[in-house]
């Protein structure tokens, strides 16, 4: 019986490892599997000698660990549960492009971009049709910086060519990141999950019944209730004290007042991404290629209207491949590359402003002056709040949905990892905070590196505390996206024109004033054990702590308007560039060409809800179901 107990403990330990490393929530399945094995082991051990029992135990434990260990490599591990995920180099060489537009039978759908929308879209379409999903990044499952909440900021710190986040700076001078990994933005974001408002659903013309069936499909698989941190409770109480009421408790719904939302981090701090939604796919009809960097969409222009027929992509070895659609007129290429990637892909493929394309020597497939226009980002400003007592790490869990056009959120304890203090922390970073003292356009990579080099001298105590975050709900200011070159791997030039419209600046001022009052409130002074300070001191204490996101000049701290301009950062909620009625029709099919559609946030003229990931994942599921229903009718079965 002693051996049975040891055997059981090993299985449970292995199950705990699986909870941290498996791509799907397979820890539960593994525990069921271990339970079955325990019964068999009891019989075996009862009839075996001690040595034989130990050998059996060690052999089985080693085999079981092999299945669950992240050390087996990204693809080997993912293949255990996702046999359809393969390296791009495994794709067979195809024949050259021809007017027939296909090689072999081709695919019913080619989805470009395995991100927040692309994964649920591909999984849904695969229930009835053959789907090729092309993702330029790798898999997230064995990447500890992606998988664990405590490493959230380290993911953003990795600026290597293989990083899950691709670093870029907008022409406004704001540091940013776009996802480069299967699962997209759900792999590098702060994890907050909340639905869009009914107003937004009605505005974009979605079927409310289908929307209400699509959200739970996502939530049942990867969304969790948060383990509320003290910092988040203080924010709740501070918001309610300022009249941001009622308190709506824990809910996914977008409701005025204060609430707790969902999260894609489980209670162990492990992230669950859109990549896990692929577990619902039909493995016989879905092929997912990672490290497949799509170069452009191929068109057949021999008819009255250009027709998308395939794509060119490069694999991890930089070898070029072509993949084609079937000849069925209902087959489509669907771009789900995100608000940065989809307009960029259209331009690289010859769909966009004729003059701009000709400057880049890109053959014009369709002249559309609106591609890349109307780019927007929800500007965010943060106030650092020091604490005299250690704080528990938390990302966004509480949100105040105000009636003045701003959202109030918070994060705390971002320096939890022992290596974290010496890393670049993305939007809540010492080097970026110090760079707020100079105009945005002077925040160069060289300047950033200089501050990073000085960061090692900062005391650990400087990283106590957290942030109050204020962001605009619906910015009016917009910009544009243009190509810098024709290399699909490079970032395009992006301008957001933060606070160009005076209404946006007024909204920011209102939000910052509310945020400072929250810092001054009793709930926060109780948590931080810091005395109540004036607004100016609150801003200046952030400067003296050296981890702030506010300017150091005293004149800046006296002008809230200047504070908004100088400390603007992003929260990755950019959208636009492929607007409905200008680039796509209401079904998101690209105007002027056939068999090409876009399903991602680039079609939005506002970011849905307080945080868009819930709605973008739902959108992937929704559009997959809608496409199936439009194509199959009653045979779709829903």
């Amino acid at each position: 019986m002693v051996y049975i107990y040891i055997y059981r403990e090993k299985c449970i330990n292995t199950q705990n490892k699986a909870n941290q490393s498996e791509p799907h929530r397979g820890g539960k399945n593994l525990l069921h599997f271990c339970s079955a094995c325990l019964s068999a082991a009891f019989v075996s051990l009862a009839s075996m000698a001690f040595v034989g029992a130990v050998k059996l135990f060690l052999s089985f434990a080693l085999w079981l660990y092999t299945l669950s260990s992240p050390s087996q490599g990204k693809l080997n591990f993912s293949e255990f549960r996702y046999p359809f995920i393969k390296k791009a180099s495994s794709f067979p060489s195809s024949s050259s492009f021809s007017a027939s537009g296909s090689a072999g039978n081709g695919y019913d759908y080619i989805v470009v971009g395995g991100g927040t929308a692309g994964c649920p879209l591909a999984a849904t379409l695969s229930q009835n049709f053959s789907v090729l999903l092309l993702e330029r990044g790798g898999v997230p499952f064995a990447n500890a910086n992606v998988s664990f909440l405590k490493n959230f900021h380290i993911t953003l710190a990795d600026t290597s060519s293989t990083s899950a986040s691709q670093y870029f700076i907008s022409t406004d001078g704001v540091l940013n990141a776009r996802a480069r990994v299967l699962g997209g933005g759900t792999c590098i974001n702060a994890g907050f999950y909340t639905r869009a408002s009914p107003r937004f659903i009605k505005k974009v013309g979605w079927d409310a019944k289908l929307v209400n069936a699509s959200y739970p499909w996502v939530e049942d698989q990867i969304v969790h209730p948060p383990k509320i941190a003290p910092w988040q409770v203080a924010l709740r109480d501070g918001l309610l004290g300022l009249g941001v009421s009622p308190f709506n408790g824990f809910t996914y719904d977008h409701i005025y007042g204060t609430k707790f939302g969902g999260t894609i981090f489980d209670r162990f701090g492990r992230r669950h991404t859109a990549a896990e939604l692929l577990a619902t796919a039909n493995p016989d009809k879905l092929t997912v290629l990672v490290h497949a960097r799509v170069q452009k969409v191929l068109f057949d222009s021999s008819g009255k209207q250009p027709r998308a027929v395939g794509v060119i992509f490069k694999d991890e070895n930089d070898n070029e491949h072509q993949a084609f659609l079937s000849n069925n007129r209902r087959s489509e290429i669907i771009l789900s590359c995100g608000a940065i990637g989809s307009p960029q892909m259209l331009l690289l493929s010859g769909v966009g402003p004729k003059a701009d394309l000709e400057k880049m020597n890109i053959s014009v497939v369709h002249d559309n002056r609106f591609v890349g226009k109307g780019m927007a980002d929800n500007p965010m400003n943060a106030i650092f709040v020091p604490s005299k007592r250690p704080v528990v790490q938390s990302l966004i869990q509480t949100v105040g949905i105000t009636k003045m056009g701003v959202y109030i959120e918070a994060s705390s304890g971002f320096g939890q990892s022992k290596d974290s203090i010496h890393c670049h922390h993305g939007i809540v970073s010492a080097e970026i905070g110090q760079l707020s003292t100079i105009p945005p356009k002077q925040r160069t990579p060289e300047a950033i590196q200089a501050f990073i080099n000085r960061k090692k001298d900062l005391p650990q105590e400087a990283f106590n505390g957290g942030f109050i975050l204020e962001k605009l709900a619906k910015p009016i200011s917009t910009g544009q996206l243009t190509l810098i070159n024709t290399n699909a791997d490079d970032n395009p030039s992006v301008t957001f024109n933060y606070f160009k419209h005076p209404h946006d600046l007024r909204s920011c001022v209102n939000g910052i004033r509310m945020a400072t009052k929250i810092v001054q409130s009793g709930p926060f002074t109780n948590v931080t054990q810091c005395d109540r300070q004036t607004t100016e001191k609150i801003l200046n204490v952030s400067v003296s702590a050296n981890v702030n996101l506010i300017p150091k000049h005293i004149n800046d701290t006296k002008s809230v308007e200047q504070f908004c301009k100088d400390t603007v950062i992003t929260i990755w909620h950019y959208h636009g560039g492929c607007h409905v009625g200008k680039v796509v029709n209401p079904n998101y099919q690209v105007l002027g060409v056939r068999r090409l559609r876009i399903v991602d946030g680039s079609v939005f003229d506002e970011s849905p809800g307080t945080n868009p990931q819930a709605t973008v994942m739902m959108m992937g599921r929704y559009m997959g179901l809608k496409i199936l229903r439009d194509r199959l009718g009653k045979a779709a079965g829903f």
Side-chain angles (χ1 to χ4, degrees):
M1 294 301 294
V2 173
Y3 308 134
I4 294 294
Y5 179 77
I6 296 173
Y7 192 88
R8 175 181 178 275
E9 289 301 299
K10 181 65 177 179
C11 287
I12 291 175
N13 288 338
T14 306
Q15 184 261 336
N16 288 336
K17 290 177 181 290
N19 280 341
Q20 296 179 348
S21 61
E22 282 200 49
H24 186 47
R25 292 158 74 181
K28 297 177 182 177
N29 296 332
L30 183 58
L31 185 57
H32 294 159
F33 181 69
C34 289
S35 298
C37 291
L38 283 173
S39 299
F42 183 85
V43 176
S44 299
L45 289 175
S47 61
M48 289 184 178
F50 172 79
V51 174
V54 171
K55 285 183 177 179
L56 176 63
F57 161 67
L58 291 176
S59 298
F60 177 75
L62 179 62
W63 175 76
L64 197 59
Y65 179 76
T66 299
L67 294 183
S68 64
S69 173
S71 66
Q72 296 305 302
K74 298 179 181 180
L75 287 175
N76 288 344
F77 181 61
S78 66
E79 284 171 358
F80 174 61
R81 289 195 177 274
Y82 301 98
F84 44 77
I85 299 178
K86 304 177 185 298
K87 291 182 178 179
S89 58
S90 68
F91 192 77
S93 298
S94 61
S95 60
S96 298
F97 167 70
S98 65
S100 64
S102 66
N105 294 325
Y107 294 91
D108 294 307
Y109 295 96
I110 298 176
V111 179
V112 181
T116 308
C119 285
L121 174 66
T124 303
L125 292 174
S126 74
Q127 299 304 316
N128 296 88
F129 296 99
S130 62
V131 180
L132 174 64
L133 176 61
L134 300 172
E135 167 53 44
R136 66 188 186 130
V139 294
F141 310 130
N143 187 332
N145 290 343
V146 166
S147 298
F148 301 113
L149 183 148
K150 67 180 182 180
N151 294 338
F152 165 67
H153 305 93
I154 301 178
T155 306
L156 299 173
D158 184 1
T159 58
S160 68
S161 61
T162 59
S163 172
S165 63
Q166 184 177 7
Y167 181 72
F168 76 96
I169 305 175
S170 72
T171 63
D172 313 277
V174 174
L175 295 94
N176 218 312
R178 52 189 290 220
R180 183 171 49 194
V181 61
L182 189 67
T186 64
C187 297
I188 66 172
N189 66 16
F192 194 60
Y193 182 97
T194 178
R195 297 181 178 186
S197 66
R199 177 198 62 78
F200 180 88
I201 302 301
K202 183 177 180 180
K203 176 183 176 182
V204 298
W206 287 342
D207 180 337
K209 183 178 180 181
L210 195 58
V211 165
N212 290 333
S214 299
Y215 272 125
W217 180 85
V218 175
E219 292 153 8
D220 291 345
Q221 296 184 70
I222 66 170
V223 186
H224 305 264
K227 183 179 180 181
I228 305 298
W231 198 266
Q232 304 293 329
V233 174
L235 176 62
R236 176 200 65 186
D237 295 342
L239 285 165
L240 293 175
L242 289 180
V244 186
S245 58
F247 176 55
N248 296 304
F250 169 73
T251 179
Y252 297 143
D253 293 336
H254 185 98
I255 311 171
Y256 284 119
T258 298
K259 72 166 191 173
F260 297 137
T263 178
I264 58 174
F265 288 102
D266 63 24
R267 62 192 181 97
F268 300 107
R270 183 186 175 278
R271 182 191 295 270
H272 297 270
T273 75
E276 296 178 27
L277 300 176
L278 293 171
T280 64
N282 181 343
D284 297 325
K285 290 185 177 292
L286 176 63
T287 299
V288 179
L289 298 182
V290 292
H291 303 297
R293 295 135 47 213
V294 175
Q295 306 298 296
K296 65 177 181 178
V297 177
L298 296 170
F299 291 92
D300 174 7
S301 298
S302 61
K304 292 182 178 179
Q305 198 172 50
R307 176 173 61 106
V309 295
V311 297
I312 295 176
F313 67 91
K314 291 183 178 180
D315 63 26
E316 70 276 10
N317 300 318
D318 218 31
N319 294 321
E320 196 169 274
H321 304 265
Q322 295 181 0
F324 295 97
L325 292 173
S326 72
N327 277 322
N328 191 302
R329 65 182 182 86
R330 303 297 294 272
S331 296
E332 288 183 318
I333 293 171
I334 305 177
L335 302 183
S336 292
C337 311
I340 306 296
S342 286
Q344 179 187 23
M345 187 55 59
L346 283 183
L347 294 171
L348 291 171
S349 304
V351 179
K354 181 179 179 180
D356 293 349
L357 297 177
E358 289 177 342
K359 287 179 183 178
M360 291 287 170
N361 293 319
I362 297 174
S363 298
V364 179
V365 173
H366 176 67
D367 179 12
N368 186 327
R369 63 188 177 92
F370 295 111
V371 175
K373 303 300 190 293
M375 295 294 299
D377 186 18
N378 297 69
M380 184 174 76
N381 297 80
I383 295 176
F384 176 68
V385 186
S387 175
K388 290 183 179 179
R389 52 166 71 165
V391 295
V392 175
Q393 184 185 22
S394 69
L395 298 179
I396 298 169
Q397 297 176 336
T398 305
V399 62
I401 302 175
T402 75
K403 294 186 177 181
M404 62 177 66
V406 298
Y407 303 130
I408 306 294
E409 300 172 348
S411 66
S412 63
F414 63 91
Q416 296 299 302
S417 171
K418 65 180 182 180
D419 299 322
S420 182
I421 191 171
H422 298 301
C423 291
H424 178 309
H425 290 103
I427 63 168
V428 281
S429 172
E431 56 272 16
I432 297 175
Q434 294 173 41
L435 286 176
S436 294
T437 63
I438 60 176
K441 292 185 179 181
Q442 295 179 30
R443 302 176 200 176
T444 64
E446 292 77 16
I448 295 167
Q449 190 59 49
F451 283 116
I452 292 172
N453 293 338
R454 289 161 51 182
K455 184 177 176 181
K456 65 181 183 296
D457 298 324
L458 295 175
Q460 179 68 52
E461 292 75 17
F463 286 81
N464 286 337
F467 292 90
I468 303 297
L469 312 174
E470 173 273 338
K471 60 180 178 180
L472 266 61
K474 294 184 290 182
I476 299 174
S477 307
T478 61
Q480 64 180 3
L481 177 150
T482 58
L483 295 180
I484 296 175
N485 56 40
T486 57
N487 186 343
D489 298 332
D490 290 346
N491 291 305
S493 171
V494 187
T495 303
F496 294 115
N497 286 324
Y498 299 106
F499 303 125
K500 185 176 182 179
H501 196 285
H503 180 272
D504 291 346
L505 190 58
R506 287 194 295 270
S507 296
C508 178
V509 168
N510 291 334
I512 292 298
R513 287 173 176 163
M514 176 177 287
T516 56
K517 289 179 181 178
I518 291 172
V519 178
Q520 294 167 330
S521 67
F524 260 95
T525 56
N526 290 338
V527 166
T528 64
Q529 293 294 291
C530 294
D531 296 333
R532 189 178 187 274
Q533 301 290 337
T534 65
T535 298
E536 186 173 336
K537 286 185 177 180
I538 288 173
L539 301 181
N540 282 328
V541 75
S542 299
V543 175
S544 62
N546 238 359
V547 290
N548 60 80
L549 292 170
I550 64 173
K552 291 183 179 178
H553 299 109
I554 192 67
N555 290 337
D556 292 340
T557 60
K558 289 182 177 178
S559 168
V560 181
E561 290 87 353
Q562 193 62 41
F563 174 87
C564 288
K565 294 177 181 179
D566 288 345
T567 67
V568 63
I569 52 178
T570 184
I571 196 167
W572 313 298
H573 295 172
Y574 26 76
H575 50 279
C578 298
H579 286 144
V580 175
K582 295 181 178 180
V583 178
V584 297
N585 67 18
N587 290 318
Y588 308 134
Q589 295 162 316
V590 178
L591 300 171
V593 300
R594 295 166 51 201
R595 302 209 304 179
L596 181 62
R597 195 188 301 247
I598 299 175
V599 177
D600 59 35
S602 67
V603 303
F604 297 152
D605 61 7
E606 68 174 275
S607 184
T610 67
N611 300 69
Q613 73 162 341
T615 302
V616 176
M617 282 191 282
M618 182 280 294
M619 179 191 193
R621 173 65 171 177
Y622 174 94
M623 286 304 300
L625 292 174
K626 187 175 186 303
I627 290 169
L628 293 180
R629 186 171 64 184
D630 291 347
R631 186 164 177 174
L632 299 174
K634 292 183 179 180
F638 58 90

